[in-house]
């Protein structure tokens, strides 16, 4: 099981990870976007850190919803509504729980993915964050239903996200600013898929080790 | 990076403070969330018009808030869409009971944030219509892209629709007019130099001293083609022909010709561009009945221009000429 403290630790670590990768994500966003993804994610998660103490005693669903609402109002760009929706839907899906089972994680991430698809209208292979999140959620579900340990399942999810992220390199972008480049978007890794991979990687590193 | 700023993270906030101090007779500026509204908002019984987008395009949009144009503008971070909470507060602040029009430039972030804001405003009982501006012919419009970008026509739509709202058009009529302006406007831009986002500190892209980028976006997004620099007469042809052929503009059409600086190009060059554009229009039988020349939708300090042609009818001409009093555009008052 993943405790509420572990969920809070995941969010705090994510803030550190996005801070450390601020330049990297922004650089990925320069050739095919508008060079702000790392800056925006960092600004949003720093704001999340400020908001967390006020909701720490609430249930996990409320905490995740607060993260989502904070991201919507601070990230801007496309990342704001997309990651905001990701966390809001994740929070709504697990509601008032105080700890999460492996099955809860599958439900939570699936709801988050559904929200991102609904908001951004992207499909698989459009060269977006959906390309990292979809395989991660599928790998997680498969591992959990075949009885893998939580650590193993999260490791598989992170690996699938990484593979999905790398698979965006040869893709032709069909959504977002990168799509304006047409053929020239080929050969660049999608920054959104990269920040999504970091989210699953951090989940594995935060939750996998203890379980 | 060489810029007249204090701290990169304070750029937008301090710009807004400057606007508040400079134009208290025209606008009110609110912080956290950031938005600019006309000083007399909400105007009872008038359709409110809200636009917004990333900062760095000044005077658009904040400089177009005032009588006869926008009721509110939501500035995001530099080149970053503003957020739904800003748009919601701005929408509430300008709702005079006749509903609110959101004028949205076609960028993925802007679309999603305005969509969330419109949903929230509607949930609070405010009637909202949204019109998306997508006039950049440099981008192929297809199912496989995010669609054409919103550029120069945005400025013209804000002026014309602002005048219509001032005249008492209802929400549906203002929105239909805005769609008509968008349907009749086409633009294309080019860059001679890159620009530097303050928080990034380095140029968004590299262009050699003898190169230019044709079809550039207003955030430094690469365009159609990079090539060696050419004389103004040839550059204007490269921009004007795709614009004219796209609509297409036909002999006998009355047009507004808008020559816009990307920020770094001085007026002397804009007039050279306008001269070339006027020659092309004349050769094609297009009658320039109105013009706008200057930096109105910029891309920080980028050197370059965009040209926009709008096919005008009598109603648009009348609304274009109507009085406007904003920090960035002012006549007839």
């Amino acid at each position: 099981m993943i405790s509420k403290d572990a969920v809070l630790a995941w969010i705090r670590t994510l803030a550190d990870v996005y801070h450390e990768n601020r330049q990297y994500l922004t650089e990925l966003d320069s050739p095919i976007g508008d060079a702000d993804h790392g800056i925006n994610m960092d600004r949003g998660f720093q704001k999340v850190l400020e908001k967390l103490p006020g909701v720490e005693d609430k249930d996990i669903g409320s905490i995740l919803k607060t993260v989502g609402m904070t991201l919507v109002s601070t990230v801007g760009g496309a990342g704001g509504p997309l990651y905001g929706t990701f966390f809001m839907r994740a929070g709504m899906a697990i509601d008032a729980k105080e700890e999460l089972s492996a099955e809860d994680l599958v439900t939570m991430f699936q709801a988050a993915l559904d929200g991102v698809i609904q908001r951004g209208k992207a499909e698989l292979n459009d060269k977006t964050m959906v390309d990292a999140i979809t395989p991660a959620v599928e790998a997680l579900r498969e591992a959990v239903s075949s009885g893998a340990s939580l650590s193993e399942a999260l490791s598989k999810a992170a690996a699938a996200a990484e593979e999905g992220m790398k698979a965006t390199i040869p893709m032709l972008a069909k959504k977002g600013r990168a799509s304006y480049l047409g053929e020239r978007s080929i050969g660049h890794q999608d920054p959104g898929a990269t920040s999504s991979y970091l989210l699953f990687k951090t989940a594995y590193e935060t939750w996998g080790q203890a379980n | 990076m060489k810029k007249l700023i204090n701290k990169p993270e304070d750029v937008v906030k301090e710009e807004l403070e400057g606007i508040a101090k400079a134009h208290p007779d025209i606008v009110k500026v609110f912080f956290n969330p950031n938005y600019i509204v006309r000083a007399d908002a909400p105007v009872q019984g008038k359709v409110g018009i809200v636009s917004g987008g990333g900062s760095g395009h000044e005077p658009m949009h904040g400089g177009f808030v005032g009588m006869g144009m926008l009721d509110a503008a939501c500035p995001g971070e530099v080149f970053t869409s503003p957020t739904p909470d800003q748009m919601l507060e701005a929408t509430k602040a300008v709702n005079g009971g006749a509903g609110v029009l959101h004028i949205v430039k076609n960028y993925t972030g802007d679309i999603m944030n305005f969509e969330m804001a419109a949903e929230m405003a509607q949930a609070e009982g405010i009637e909202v219509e949204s019109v998306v501006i997508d006039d950049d012919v440099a981008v192929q419009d297809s199912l496989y892209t995010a669609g054409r970008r919103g550029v120069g026509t945005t400025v013209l739509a804000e002026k014309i629709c602002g005048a219509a709202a001032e005249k008492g058009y209802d929400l549906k009529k203002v929105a239909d007019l805005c769609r008509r302006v968008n349907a009749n406007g086409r633009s294309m831009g080019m860059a001679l130099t890159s620009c530097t986002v303050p928080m990034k500190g380095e140029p968004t892209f590299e262009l050699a001293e003898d190169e230019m980028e044709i079809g550039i976006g207003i955030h430094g997004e690469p365009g159609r083609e990079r090539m060696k620099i050419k004389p103004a007469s040839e550059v204007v042809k490269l921009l004007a022909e795709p614009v004219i052929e796209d609509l297409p503009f036909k002999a006998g059409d009355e047009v507004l010709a808008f020559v816009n600086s990307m920020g770094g190009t001085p007026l002397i060059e804009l007039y050279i561009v306008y001269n070339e554009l006027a020659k092309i229009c004349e050769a094609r039988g297009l009658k320039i009945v109105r013009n706008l020349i200057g930096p109105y939708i910029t891309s920080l300090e980028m050197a370059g221009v965009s040209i926009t042609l709008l096919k005008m009818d009598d109603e648009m001409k009348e609304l274009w000429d109507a009085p406007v009093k904003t920090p960035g555009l002012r006549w007839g008052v």
Side-chain angles (χ1 to χ4, degrees):
Chain A
M1 295 297 267
I2 294 166
S3 67
K4 188 170 85 179
D5 281 347
V7 171
L8 288 166
W10 174 54
I11 296 163
R12 285 203 188 87
T13 313
L14 265 182
D16 293 342
V17 167
Y18 287 129
H19 187 66
E20 284 158 20
N21 285 281
R22 172 192 166 100
Q23 199 69 25
Y24 173 58
L25 290 172
T26 299
E27 273 161 23
L28 287 175
D29 197 28
S30 294
I32 57 168
D34 52 352
D36 63 0
H37 188 53
I39 296 164
N40 293 345
M41 292 300 284
D42 184 32
R43 182 179 53 245
F45 270 89
Q46 290 308 312
K47 204 62 175 181
V48 166
L49 281 188
E50 283 174 35
K51 288 264 173 86
L52 271 192
V55 292
E56 275 174 353
D57 54 346
K58 302 236 170 89
D59 56 73
I60 297 175
S62 303
I63 292 169
L64 292 176
K65 279 186 266 182
T66 301
V67 171
M69 283 187 286
T70 307
L71 294 177
V72 166
S73 63
T74 55
V75 174
L82 290 171
Y83 277 107
T85 301
F86 182 97
F87 281 95
M88 282 196 271
R89 293 293 175 84
M92 282 155 66
I94 50 164
D95 209 23
K97 292 202 158 67
E98 294 283 335
E99 57 177 7
L100 303 176
S101 67
E103 288 76 15
D104 290 334
L105 274 191
V106 174
T107 307
M108 173 180 110
F109 282 128
Q110 181 65 53
L113 171 62
D114 292 344
V116 167
I117 291 172
Q118 199 185 350
R119 179 64 60 196
K121 300 173 184 73
E123 290 168 18
L124 211 52
N125 300 325
D126 280 354
K127 197 180 183 98
T128 71
M129 51 196 284
V130 170
D131 293 315
I133 303 172
T134 304
V137 175
E138 276 168 17
L140 186 71
R141 174 181 296 108
E142 220 168 275
V144 168
S145 62
S146 68
S149 72
L150 188 55
S151 170
E152 209 178 315
L154 285 165
S155 157
K156 287 201 166 136
E162 184 173 18
E163 212 172 294
M165 166 190 84
K166 287 184 176 153
T168 64
I169 297 174
M171 283 178 195
L172 177 80
K174 297 199 189 87
K175 281 281 181 292
R177 275 194 187 137
S179 71
Y180 301 138
L181 290 170
E183 302 279 328
R184 282 204 268 174
S185 65
I186 292 171
H188 297 282
Q189 183 172 307
D190 181 62
T194 309
S195 53
S196 293
Y197 155 65
L198 291 172
L199 199 144
F200 283 96
K201 177 176 177 262
T202 307
Y204 165 61
E205 286 170 0
T206 317
W207 300 334
Q209 321 299 33
N211 291 275
Chain B
M1 176 173 61
K2 210 172 180 183
K3 285 185 189 287
L4 265 176
I5 61 173
N6 292 310
K7 281 188 281 178
E9 56 271 34
D10 293 337
V11 163
V12 173
K13 178 174 89 67
E14 293 179 359
E15 178 213 357
L16 291 175
E17 287 169 358
I19 290 174
K21 289 193 174 89
H23 306 291
D25 54 326
I26 304 177
V27 299
K28 274 185 291 190
V29 179
F30 293 85
F31 294 88
N32 298 317
N34 299 344
Y35 59 99
I36 304 172
V37 300
R38 58 189 270 181
D40 57 351
V43 182
Q44 287 309 320
K46 186 184 92 67
V47 170
I49 304 185
V50 176
S51 191
S55 294
H57 307 301
E58 292 69 12
M60 191 186 77
H61 297 275
F64 299 143
V65 175
M67 194 279 293
M69 213 161 165
L70 296 178
D71 291 85
C74 307
E77 292 296 320
V78 174
F79 291 179
T80 297
S81 164
T83 55
D85 52 329
Q86 292 171 263
M87 298 160 183
L88 176 63
E89 289 309 314
T91 301
K92 289 199 282 192
V94 305
N95 177 33
V100 177
L101 173 68
H102 288 173
I103 299 181
V104 188
K105 299 193 299 307
N106 191 29
Y107 298 96
T108 304
D110 293 52
I111 297 276
M112 281 191 267
N113 283 288
F114 266 107
E115 220 172 68
M116 292 185 92
E119 286 165 17
M120 292 182 211
Q122 279 153 354
E124 296 197 21
I126 301 175
E127 204 186 341
V128 176
E129 279 255 16
S130 303
V131 175
V132 174
I133 305 291
D134 55 350
D135 59 317
D136 188 349
V137 304
V139 175
Q140 297 297 331
D141 187 18
S142 81
L143 285 172
Y144 306 108
T145 68
R148 287 185 161 167
R149 302 175 291 225
V151 286
T153 300
T154 315
V155 178
L156 313 181
E158 290 176 359
K159 166 66 185 85
I160 290 169
C161 296
E166 210 72 54
K167 263 189 91 177
Y169 283 38
D170 65 25
L171 180 59
K172 188 176 176 305
K173 264 186 88 183
V174 181
D176 285 345
L177 174 68
C178 195
R179 289 185 191 103
R180 205 165 88 228
V181 171
N182 182 51
N184 285 286
R186 294 290 187 277
S187 304
M188 185 144 149
M190 58 81 62
L192 295 166
T193 65
S194 182
C195 56
T196 298
V197 174
M199 288 291 274
K200 198 188 170 220
E202 286 161 25
T204 304
F205 58 98
E206 298 294 337
L207 259 186
E209 189 55 34
D210 61 345
E211 281 181 333
M212 61 179 177
E213 179 95 18
I214 297 286
I216 194 84
I218 53 169
H219 310 89
E221 309 98 310
R224 277 189 175 184
E225 203 181 341
R226 181 167 293 197
M227 57 176 81
K228 295 285 179 206
I229 190 161
K230 296 177 191 298
S233 58
E234 289 176 47
V235 172
V236 175
K237 223 175 263 172
L238 287 171
L239 299 179
E241 281 175 358
V243 164
I244 291 170
E245 273 145 32
D246 192 88
L247 193 63
F249 292 87
K250 296 195 201 84
D253 283 351
E254 292 193 321
V255 299
L256 183 157
F258 172 25
V259 172
N260 171 63
S261 167
M262 291 292 194
T265 291
L267 213 43
I268 185 171
E269 293 174 29
L270 297 186
Y271 278 108
I272 292 171
V273 168
Y274 183 75
N275 185 38
E276 296 298 338
L277 180 60
K279 284 188 225 169
I280 294 172
C281 287
E282 202 192 330
R284 296 238 184 185
L286 308 183
K287 195 173 159 207
I288 300 181
V289 292
R290 299 288 185 277
N291 67 57
L292 183 69
I293 300 164
Y296 292 104
I297 165 168
T298 60
S299 188
L300 294 168
E301 74 280 22
M302 182 190 287
V305 297
S306 66
I307 64 164
T308 300
L309 292 179
L310 169 67
K311 184 177 160 185
M312 290 191 116
D313 53 34
D314 289 342
E315 183 185 19
M316 284 187 213
K317 279 193 281 183
E318 185 193 328
L319 293 168
W320 179 259
D321 293 339
V324 59
K325 188 181 180 190
T326 70
L329 212 59
R330 210 178 298 193
W331 57 68
V333 284

